[in-house]
Amino acid sequence: MVATQTAKPVSAPGAEHTVSVPGAAPSRIRRLSRAVLPGPAPGANGAALYRRWWLPWLWTAPAIVCAVVFGVFPFLNTLLLSFTDAKPLGGAASFVGLDNYTRMLDDSDFWLATRNSILYALIVVPLMVLLPLLLAILVEKNLPGIGFFRSAFYTPVLASSVVVGLSWQWLLADDGLINTWLEKAHLIRDAIPFLSDSWLILFSAMGLTLWKGLGWYMIFYLAALGNVPKELHEAASMDGAGAARRFWHITVPGVRQAMMLVGTLTGIGSLRVFTELYMLGGPTGGPGGADRTLPFYIKDVGLDPITGNAGYGSAVSVALFLLTLGLTLLAQRLTREDES
């Protein structure tokens, strides 16, 4: 079949063209249209410029440079230092191979700090996942004056960690507010050693972390609760489901993704905790350094200008990185299983 072609006059580059082919299929008409009336040449207008392959790399170049300078380079430098005996104040460093890692495996202080960090995460993460959710449910309803309570619960997030630590020192000291009140109420005879007992310091620091983070994660859950359909709660109530049953079967599944996110962020933050223990336990990290976490231990062994060893501190930093990476991969695996 011989196809006859008629085309409307072209008014401008890129204008819509129509090709009439009697008896031809629509797909063949489109092919003939492109063949007879080709589009504008590359670079003929501004739109072609934005289709350059290198343009996305140009827009993201500042972020890539910042990530390399402030993220990739420090990590590679730390990894390299972990195989040397570098000093905190600089100077010549010698390659020592795996000596720092071998020393780390036989270091009882390292394992004590690892135990404290893992224990910190095991206790803080479940509480930080659950308590802000309960707090968000309490302040979710639009009641008169509820905005005051939302602001009050969020206020600790805005306070400096140093200010919060000093305030808790004043509360928990032997002659602090809590011990004084308990003694006047004749509930205790001797002051409770919140800041001098190794276990109580650790638990006090956990309480400080929880108190300061509740408001922050409450905001996460308030946003997630807004996506849970109210009709499900109303239907469950009509079927006779109580508050506890509606919480476990409607609220928890509805905010499960937010719970995974809060758990991951809290776990990473718990492994990196430093300020709370420093403010409550002092520069030694509790009596005899018994409450030191891994970041605290890295500061002691790697940054001391006289006795420190930056190479060994870097090796402990790599161990902390692997521990954090393992926790993150575990959280991602749980999230994928939940989505599937």
Side-chain angles (χ1 to χ4, degrees), residues 81-98:
L81 284 176
S82 68
F83 296 102
T84 68
D85 60 351
K87 302 300 179 185
L89 299 181
S94 303
F95 181 76
V96 296
L98 297 176

Side-chain angles (χ1 to χ4, degrees), residues 112-122 270-271 293-295 323:
L112 179 62
T114 303
R115 185 208 67 179
N116 289 337
S117 292
I118 294 176
L119 181 63
Y120 208 97
L122 289 177
S270 298
L271 294 176
T293 55
L294 282 174
L323 188 60

Side-chain angles (χ1 to χ4, degrees), residues 91-104:
S94 303
F95 181 76
V96 296
L98 297 176
D99 287 355
N100 288 326
Y101 292 95
T102 305
R103 172 189 169 186
M104 187 170 59

Side-chain angles (χ1 to χ4, degrees), residues 103-300:
R103 172 189 169 186
M104 187 170 59
L105 296 176
D106 296 331
D107 188 353
S108 59
D109 290 336
F110 165 75
W111 290 112
L112 179 62
T114 303
R115 185 208 67 179
N116 289 337
S117 292
I118 294 176
L119 181 63
Y120 208 97
L122 289 177
I123 294 178
V124 168
V125 171
L127 294 176
M128 193 65 90
V129 169
L130 185 60
L131 293 181
L133 175 59
L134 299 177
L135 198 61
I137 293 174
L138 288 177
V139 302
E140 181 191 13
K141 302 183 184 302
N142 291 321
L143 300 175
I146 199 66
F148 168 78
F149 292 99
R150 291 178 182 174
S151 302
F153 291 138
Y154 190 75
T155 299
V157 180
L158 303 177
S160 166
S161 298
V162 177
V163 174
V164 172
L166 292 175
S167 301
W168 276 59
Q169 274 188 349
W170 174 70
L171 289 173
L172 299 177
D174 290 349
D175 56 349
L177 182 64
I178 293 179
N179 276 318
T180 302
W181 182 82
L182 292 175
E183 289 175 356
K184 288 186 177 180
H186 302 289
L187 296 176
I188 59 173
R189 290 184 179 180
D190 300 322
I192 300 176
F194 291 110
L195 303 182
S196 55
D197 181 82
S198 60
W199 285 107
L200 289 180
I201 289 179
L202 198 61
F203 291 132
S204 298
M206 294 177 188
L208 196 158
T209 300
L210 289 170
W211 182 76
K212 198 173 186 312
L214 284 179
W216 174 253
Y217 294 114
M218 178 191 72
I219 300 298
F220 278 56
Y221 284 124
L222 281 175
L225 287 173
N227 296 325
V228 179
K230 303 296 182 186
E231 293 78 8
L232 294 178
H233 284 278
E234 295 173 358
S237 298
M238 293 177 65
D239 291 339
R245 195 173 179 182
R246 294 199 305 273
F247 174 78
W248 287 112
H249 294 282
I250 297 177
T251 303
V252 170
V255 300
R256 183 166 296 170
Q257 294 298 324
M259 296 175 73
M260 291 290 183
L261 176 62
V262 172
T264 303
L265 295 178
T266 307
I268 295 173
S270 298
L271 294 176
R272 297 167 53 192
V273 68
F274 175 82
T275 306
E276 290 88 342
L277 284 169
Y278 188 88
M279 296 304 300
L280 297 181
T284 60
D291 295 303
R292 287 185 297 185
T293 55
L294 282 174
F296 213 115
Y297 188 60
I298 292 170
K299 186 267 297 181
D300 284 348

Side-chain angles (χ1 to χ4, degrees), residues 5 17-19 26-40:
Q5 306 173 4
H17 310 294
T18 303
V19 177
S27 60
R28 179 168 174 74
I29 293 176
R30 287 193 293 271
R31 289 197 297 270
L32 288 172
S33 176
R34 287 194 294 268
V36 174
L37 300 171

